[in-house]
Amino acid sequence: NSGVIHAGLYYKPESLKAKVCVNGAKRLTEWILERRLSYNKCGKVIVPTKPELDHQLDVLKERGISNGAEVEMIDSKTLCDMIPEARTSTNRALWSPNTAVINPKEVLQSLYKEINDMGIELILSANIVKLYKNNNQIITSSNEVINYGHFINCSGLEADRIAHMFSLGKQYRIIPFRGSYWQIKDTSKIKIKTNLYPVPDLNIPFLGVHFTPTTGINRIVTIGPTATLALGRENYQGLQSIEPILTLKNLTTITNQYIKNEGGFRRYVNEQSYLSILPFLVRSAQRLVPSIKS
C-alpha cells in the first residue's frame, strides 16, 4: 500500500526517462502536498552490500546530481545515526533526503474524484475487444462503442497487447513478475524510519530487496519485494487469472535468456528465484540489516 517517489538516481542524465522521473517527482510531490494527502518525506539510503559494489555509489551520485536531485555521500557513523541496525560494507552510503513515501491508493482515489468533478468519464474493468484504426473507434467487452481523437496507451501490463492492435512493437512482449512483501512486527525493536536500499545492479531492471516505511500514524516497515514469474498478467495470488499459454511462452523466453546469459542474466535468476521462500528473503535482507530474523 505504499509507493516511493524517487528522484532520478537510476537513469543516465541524457535519457528521456531521467527528465521525466525528476520532473514527475517534483510535480507529484507538489500535487500531493496541495491536497494534504499522506506524505512521508523520510529520505532514502543506498548501501553497498559488497565491497565490489562501492563504485556504483559514485555512479548514482553523479547521475543524481546531473538530473537535479539532492544527494550526498555519508559515512558509517552518519548511517548509524540514521539507521542503527544498518550496515555498509565499505564505510560509505548514499543519502537522498528528498525521497518520499506516499499511499498510491489514496493518490488514485483523489485523482479519480478530481477527474469526475471535471466531467470526464472513466470506464473501469472493460477490455478492448475490437479496434478500428481507420475510424478511430474501439469496442469494449461490455459492447460500448468509443470514438477517440487521441489514443494514449498507458495500460500497464496490457500495454503490449494494445500496441499490437495498432501493429506497433510486435517484437516486444511483457513478461509479468509478481512481488511479495513481508513486514516487520510492531513488537520488533528494529525501527527503520527511512528507505533502505542495496546498491542495485544497473544492468537489471530490479532494485533488490529493500526496507520501506509506510505513511500514516502507525507506520509499518515492509521488506521486499520478491520477483517471481507470474502465471498471468493479472495473476496477483494463487491461481487467480492464470494464462497457461502465455506462461509457457514466457518460460521459453526466460530459458533462452538463461542459456545466452546476456548481461549476467543467469546469475540474477539464480539469486532471485529463491526470494519467494522466507529464509532466502531474510538472508537477502540481512545484507542490509544483519539483526533481522524471521
Side-chain angles (χ1 to χ4, degrees), residues 93-149:
L94 191 64
W95 167 238
S96 170
N98 293 324
T99 299
V101 176
I102 61 172
N103 185 323
K105 289 185 178 179
E106 189 179 73
V107 169
L108 287 173
Q109 288 166 356
S110 180
L111 185 61
Y112 180 81
K113 182 179 183 304
E114 287 192 21
I115 290 174
N116 271 331
D117 290 344
M118 293 168 65
I120 298 171
E121 181 183 3
L122 292 177
I123 301 170
L124 306 179
S125 300
N127 296 323
I128 295 177
V129 293
K130 289 183 181 179
L131 188 149
Y132 300 101
K133 290 185 291 183
N134 294 334
N135 298 327
N136 286 20
Q137 190 178 77
I138 58 177
I139 312 296
T140 72
S141 54
S142 55
N143 290 322
E144 291 179 279
V145 179
I146 300 173
N147 296 294
Y148 62 88

Side-chain angles (χ1 to χ4, degrees), residues 5-229:
I5 300 179
H6 297 288
L9 294 173
Y10 303 111
Y11 299 119
K12 294 181 180 179
E14 65 274 12
S15 72
L16 177 62
K17 286 184 178 180
K19 294 177 182 178
V20 170
C21 183
V22 175
N23 293 333
K26 291 178 180 177
R27 291 177 62 189
L28 179 58
T29 297
E30 292 171 358
W31 188 88
I32 289 171
L33 293 177
E34 286 173 1
R35 287 149 186 80
R36 298 183 178 181
L37 303 180
S38 300
Y39 181 77
N40 179 10
K41 187 182 176 182
C42 55
K44 175 173 63 177
V45 176
I46 303 176
V47 175
T49 55
K50 300 176 183 177
E52 57 267 29
L53 296 174
D54 183 76
H55 73 283
Q56 294 278 42
L57 289 178
D58 297 309
V59 176
L60 292 175
K61 181 181 178 182
E62 182 180 343
R63 289 184 180 181
I65 293 173
S66 298
N67 290 332
E70 182 183 345
V71 291
E72 64 176 291
M73 208 69 74
I74 60 174
D75 58 18
S76 295
K77 183 180 182 303
T78 306
L79 174 63
C80 185
D81 291 339
M82 290 181 175
I83 314 173
E85 299 86 0
R87 294 294 179 271
T88 168
S89 63
T90 63
N91 193 40
R92 296 204 308 166
L94 191 64
W95 167 238
S96 170
N98 293 324
T99 299
V101 176
I102 61 172
N103 185 323
K105 289 185 178 179
E106 189 179 73
V107 169
L108 287 173
Q109 288 166 356
S110 180
L111 185 61
Y112 180 81
K113 182 179 183 304
E114 287 192 21
I115 290 174
N116 271 331
D117 290 344
M118 293 168 65
I120 298 171
E121 181 183 3
L122 292 177
I123 301 170
L124 306 179
S125 300
N127 296 323
I128 295 177
V129 293
K130 289 183 181 179
L131 188 149
Y132 300 101
K133 290 185 291 183
N134 294 334
N135 298 327
N136 286 20
Q137 190 178 77
I138 58 177
I139 312 296
T140 72
S141 54
S142 55
N143 290 322
E144 291 179 279
V145 179
I146 300 173
N147 296 294
Y148 62 88
H150 293 84
F151 188 103
I152 302 171
N153 180 6
C154 52
S155 49
L157 289 168
E158 305 292 341
D160 57 336
R161 287 176 171 170
I162 299 299
H164 296 168
M165 289 182 179
F166 285 90
S167 299
L168 297 171
K170 289 194 172 182
Q171 70 274 35
Y172 297 108
R173 186 174 80 252
I174 286 176
I175 298 180
F177 280 77
R178 187 173 65 198
S180 298
Y181 289 83
W182 296 78
Q183 73 181 55
I184 296 179
K185 291 181 177 179
D186 294 336
T187 55
S188 173
K189 294 180 180 179
I190 297 175
K191 305 295 181 184
I192 296 175
K193 297 180 180 180
T194 184
N195 290 284
L196 178 60
Y197 280 63
V199 171
D201 184 339
L202 299 178
N203 296 314
I204 299 172
F206 295 100
L207 297 180
V209 170
H210 49 265
F211 291 72
T212 306
T214 61
T215 60
I217 299 175
N218 299 317
R219 292 174 179 170
I220 61 172
V221 177
T222 61
I223 307 172
T226 62
T228 307
L229 179 67

